[in-house]
Amino acid sequence: MTTYDLIFYLFAAVTLISAFFVVTNRNIVHAAFYLLFTLFGIAGIYVMLGSDFVAIVQLIVYVGGILILLLFGVMLTNKITNVDIKTGTIHALPASIVMGLFAGALGAAVFNTNWKVVELTSAEASTTGLGVMLVNEYALIFELLGILLLIALIGAASMARR
Amino acid sequence: MMYDWLYNATGSEVIAAIIQSLMPLFLFLLPFALFAVLLERKVSGHMQDRLGPMRVGYHGLLQTIADIIKLIQKEDIIAASNDKKFFNLSPLIVFIGSYAAFAAIPFSGAFLGSNIDLGIIYIVAVTGIVVAGILMGGWASNNKYSLLGAMRSAAQIISYEIPTLLVVVTVIMITGTMNLYTMSEWQTEHFWNWLILGGPVFGIQKILLIPLMIVSFLIIFLSTLAEVNRTPFDIPEAESELVSGYHTEYSGMKFAIFFLAEYANMFAISVIVSALFLGGFQSPIGYVGNLFGLPWLIPFEQFFWFAFKGIFFVFVQMWLRWTLPRFRVDQLMAFCWKYLIPFSFVILLIVGLITVL
């Protein structure tokens, strides 16, 4: 087992264990805090796969943005307005059937795919290539996504003003 | 480079990496924090026509060491209604977030934690972990002042991240790199090559850039100042309203870790701003090592300039803290959204035009 493997398993363990706690924890603020470790572990795995830009965007968007927003929402509703958020289990049977089917489909996809095996090389910076592709081959999609985000922003602002 | 030397000396990648990642903490950050705490007290004292600490050592030089010894002896108080697990975890996460930024900061030509291409963006990303840690501490303290302080702190950091990032994007457009080492190299040799004075390319572009860059420098300095919650932006720990914000409930070494993280953050933003606009570790007037043909001297000189610029801006932050009163919450938000963000957007557009033409 090389150092690379060791670090990979470390990040994988962090991700899986904290994800387990996110799902099972009864306290919703605790669950949100455990999500920090899950997102961090996933960013680590992206780095191990050599996609540095995706890892950092993962940190900026999920840890710096969505997680903080989630924490704000949970804290404000939970502590200040004294509304109980339900964290119990409901519809256990249909949920486990659907999840079992989904897990089966995922497992089948994982085990039946003919994975391409590439030799381990030292990772190269992916930002320049990504930027060139975004403004050349995928320029239209990139611009459309930009407009979509802008519309979402304006919508959020106008809803907040009401 | 330091890593190669360590690798040859120890013969193991892992040991070399561990030693290298601990070096900034033990050789630089801890002595710096000891010095900076004393400096803060001395600066505040002299600004208010007092002497500051005078008793321990010559003019109070050993005061911080005595304080640290006292803090180590203190009882670690955890109140019964604190959320114990996250209460203990929070100082650690805050410190990890602020120390992780040092991985991409070039200390000198010979010492750089990781020469990743995304340097400055990586630093912005790991700062997000600090916000989560602060919220965790404020919530786990189970104290309304702590929670309010943490909320204010998080809201402030998120708002002021926007002007910071806009200025960073402007700088990236001019230099064409996100790597802080390459950025510092780009502004090498003389102080008129610094980005605040238009960068090393002479011509019409330099003249056009000078006023824009001075305004950008002010914007990023103010917004990063707000991100580390220093006066005049210190409403998260406003003593007169909130006791001391998100670390009200912490005592002993946990409080010391929060304090260390704050000073580490202050130094980190100082060196990031100087790496973006003031040439980072590069000397403003050329190197003594080049003059006398002593190449081994240059990394040490670079480290001197790095520390000098960093500590100078830390001093400016203290100077502001003991000069200016605190903003009100609405003034704080208005300053960010109505002044800093529009200005940085306009500069971003103009600089975009200049670099295209």
Side-chain angles (χ1 to χ4, degrees):
Chain A
M1 198 189 239
T2 59
T3 325
Y4 182 93
D5 288 343
L6 205 68
I7 299 172
F8 171 79
Y9 283 118
L10 186 75
F11 277 121
V14 166
T15 313
L16 287 177
I17 293 170
S18 60
F20 178 75
F21 279 122
V22 171
V23 182
T24 53
N25 209 302
R26 282 295 172 98
N27 188 327
I28 194 148
V29 182
H30 284 187
F33 280 133
Y34 282 120
L35 199 58
L36 170 71
F37 299 99
T38 314
L39 299 170
F40 180 76
I42 291 171
I45 287 171
Y46 281 139
V47 174
M48 302 301 288
L49 293 172
S51 42
D52 48 357
F53 189 75
V54 181
I56 281 167
V57 169
Q58 160 89 12
L59 275 187
I60 291 180
V61 172
Y62 284 94
V63 177
I66 291 179
L67 181 69
I68 305 297
L69 207 66
L70 201 77
L71 282 172
F72 261 80
V74 166
M75 283 178 180
L76 288 174
T77 47
N78 207 20
K79 275 222 144 176
I80 293 172
T81 58
N82 287 323
V83 178
D84 283 335
I85 298 171
K86 276 184 191 155
T87 48
T89 316
I90 45 166
H91 302 306
L93 188 66
S96 45
I97 290 173
V98 172
M99 287 324 292
L101 284 175
F102 186 61
L106 274 184
V110 167
F111 290 116
N112 292 330
T113 312
N114 201 0
W115 294 103
K116 195 167 70 174
V117 179
V118 186
E119 277 292 306
L120 190 66
T121 51
S122 90
E124 283 178 22
S126 56
T127 325
T128 319
L130 203 70
V132 169
M133 271 169 92
L134 272 184
V135 290
N136 287 314
E137 289 167 48
Y138 301 103
L140 182 68
I141 299 168
F142 182 60
E143 293 291 326
L144 283 176
L145 280 175
I147 293 170
L148 185 72
L149 277 176
L150 184 67
I151 294 169
L153 263 178
I154 295 171
S158 73
M159 272 163 78
R161 276 180 76 89
R162 231 172 253 166
Chain B
M1 296 290 273
M2 190 54 104
Y3 178 76
D4 299 325
W5 186 81
L6 280 173
Y7 181 59
N8 288 332
T10 58
S12 157
E13 284 176 342
V14 183
I15 297 173
I18 291 174
I19 292 176
Q20 201 197 14
S21 54
L22 290 178
M23 269 174 71
L25 178 63
F26 287 105
L27 293 186
F28 187 74
L29 220 53
L30 289 180
F32 164 77
L34 289 180
F35 166 75
V37 172
L38 182 70
L39 184 72
E40 173 110 54
R41 297 176 67 175
K42 278 290 183 188
V43 168
S44 66
H46 284 280
M47 283 199 175
Q48 297 169 344
D49 214 5
R50 295 184 284 118
L51 288 171
M54 287 294 282
R55 299 278 167 148
V56 194
Y58 176 73
H59 275 247
L61 269 180
L62 301 174
Q63 181 68 50
T64 334
I65 294 168
D67 284 346
I68 288 286
I69 293 170
K70 187 191 76 178
L71 277 173
I72 291 173
Q73 292 171 332
K74 286 259 177 180
E75 187 193 349
D76 179 34
I77 301 167
I78 302 173
S81 57
N82 286 349
D83 196 322
K84 208 172 168 205
K85 205 184 320 167
F86 288 107
F87 186 76
N88 292 336
L89 205 58
S90 161
L92 206 64
I93 289 180
V94 171
F95 184 71
I96 287 171
S98 52
Y99 187 56
F102 282 86
I105 292 176
F107 279 66
S108 90
F111 188 88
L112 169 58
S114 162
N115 197 9
I116 48 170
D117 232 24
L118 286 155
I120 181 74
I121 303 289
Y122 161 81
I123 290 172
V124 173
V126 290
T127 326
I129 298 176
V130 178
V131 187
I134 287 174
L135 275 175
M136 189 185 279
W139 186 82
S141 295
N142 212 350
N143 172 329
K144 57 181 171 257
Y145 298 121
S146 295
L147 185 63
L148 271 176
M151 289 270 184
R152 283 185 182 186
S153 179
Q156 182 175 327
I157 293 175
I158 295 173
S159 309
Y160 278 87
E161 224 160 52
I162 300 169
T164 314
L165 263 174
L166 284 172
V167 173
V168 165
V169 169
T170 319
V171 173
I172 291 170
M173 275 200 316
I174 299 170
T175 57
T177 176
M178 291 182 238
N179 187 327
L180 283 174
Y181 183 80
T182 327
M183 268 183 200
S184 305
E185 285 287 315
W186 188 74
Q187 308 174 44
T188 185
E189 220 152 324
H190 296 292
F191 62 87
W192 56 81
N193 288 341
W194 287 354
L195 191 60
I196 194 171
L197 296 172
V201 188
F202 280 92
I204 187 91
Q205 190 191 350
K206 187 175 168 90
I207 297 164
L208 287 173
L209 278 179
I210 289 173
L212 295 173
M213 285 303 110
I214 290 173
V215 178
S216 303
F217 170 76
L218 286 176
I219 292 174
I220 198 171
F221 184 69
L222 289 173
S223 55
T224 48
L225 194 63
E227 278 192 52
V228 294
N229 301 333
R230 294 283 297 187
T231 324
F233 306 102
D234 70 336
I235 56 156
E237 42 194 276
E239 294 93 344
S240 43
E241 315 164 19
L242 292 182
V243 192
S244 88
Y246 57 87
H247 51 62
T248 305
E249 291 279 320
Y250 285 88
S251 60
M253 277 318 277
K254 283 177 203 154
F255 171 74
I257 292 174
F258 271 122
F259 221 58
L260 180 64
E262 183 180 332
Y263 279 91
N265 266 336
M266 277 167 69
F267 189 76
I269 64 152
S270 304
V271 290
I272 289 162
V273 168
S274 80
L276 290 177
F277 284 97
L278 302 171
F281 57 79
Q282 300 285 356
S283 158
I285 45 171
Y287 293 106
V288 182
N290 279 339
L291 206 64
F292 296 118
L294 301 168
W296 56 269
L297 200 62
I298 294 177
F300 292 100
E301 278 188 66
Q302 287 175 329
F303 179 70
F304 165 76
W305 286 111
F306 164 83
F308 176 78
K309 288 170 189 171
I311 290 171
F312 175 75
F313 280 113
V314 170
F315 171 69
V316 173
Q317 290 173 22
M318 292 171 182
W319 182 4
L320 288 175
R321 174 168 179 186
W322 299 100
T323 313
L324 296 175
R326 187 180 296 135
F327 270 124
R328 254 187 358 243
V329 181
D330 59 322
Q331 287 170 333
L332 182 92
M333 287 297 154
F335 183 64
C336 177
W337 293 94
K338 290 186 183 163
Y339 298 96
L340 292 185
I341 290 177
F343 272 103
S344 40
F345 256 119
V346 169
I347 290 172
L348 180 72
L349 289 177
I350 299 175
V351 169
L353 276 177
I354 291 175
T355 46
V356 165
L357 297 177

